[in-house]
Amino acid sequence: MDILRILIDFLKIYISPMVANGIPVVVSKFIKGRPLDRGKYLSDGKRILGDGKTVEGTIFAILTGTLMGAIIGILNYYSLQYCFTGFLGSLGGILGDITKSFFKRRIGIERGGMLPLVDQLDFYLGSTLFIYLCPICAHPSLDVFLFGIIIIPLLHLSTNYIAFKLHLKSVPW
Ligand code: CTP
Ligand code: MG
């Protein structure tokens, strides 16, 4: 069935960036991370990134996402392609999230403030860009990518709501 093929292809490529995107919330509960921007401000008087983007969260995200990619690779006949896809997807995803925070600060949204759809799709678009720029990565077909555009915001909102209920996040988005 086509939808099953789309779902499997989607998971093989995007499970790593999805895990990478979720891990920092858990890490932040155990480690008080150091801000990536070292607490610095730009000339507009606002933080470069804010306290929501930490060194530890970023490192753990990339490591965990790459580990997921390695597992997917092993499950796919020891395919190195999925290992690279996991690494670049996680790196691109986390950089997408960081880029989003930079622009959120510039338009005056405080750390943790909501920016609908952008908050949900930042890592997805970042990971897709990086995966596409990598010639040896597994590339999603258009239907797989569009499936993600619909499913990611729904998944993101529901997992964040669960994280909020578990007291892992202070806001439900
Ligand atoms: N986090 C982190 N390092 C990252 C990304 C996230 O430590 N690179 C942790 C932070 O504790 C952050 C939480 O995960 O508060 C949730 O991530 P996110 O929603 O992306 O950050 P926000 O706090 O909403 O900050 P922003 O407004 O900048 O997106
Ligand atoms: Mg947020």
Side-chain angles (χ1 to χ4, degrees), residues 75-160:
L75 294 175
N76 280 278
Y77 310 101
Y78 293 89
S79 155
L80 261 184
Q81 189 188 34
Y82 284 105
C83 198
F84 283 120
T85 309
F87 168 63
L88 278 156
S90 305
L91 181 67
I94 214 77
L95 287 177
D97 177 51
I98 290 169
T99 308
K100 174 220 51 195
S101 291
F102 177 83
F103 286 109
K104 267 170 95 174
R105 299 304 87 84
R106 303 291 72 76
I107 59 173
I109 302 176
E110 296 289 327
R111 175 248 173 119
M114 189 172 36
L115 188 56
L117 276 180
V118 181
D119 273 329
Q120 285 81 45
L121 289 172
D122 52 7
F123 85 96
Y124 187 62
L125 298 178
S127 63
T128 304
L129 178 71
F130 269 54
I131 289 169
Y132 255 103
L133 291 176
C134 157
I136 51 169
C137 288
H139 294 168
S141 55
L142 184 62
D143 52 6
V144 169
F145 173 71
L146 293 177
F147 173 78
I149 290 277
I150 296 164
I151 216 76
I152 291 277
L154 301 173
L155 216 58
H156 200 273
L157 289 173
S158 39
T159 49
N160 278 353

Side-chain angles (χ1 to χ4, degrees), residues 25 28-29 160-171:
V25 182
S28 70
K29 278 290 135 190
N160 278 353
Y161 185 73
I162 293 168
F164 171 68
K165 283 285 174 197
L166 292 174
H167 305 288
L168 288 171
K169 276 194 87 134
S170 54
V171 287

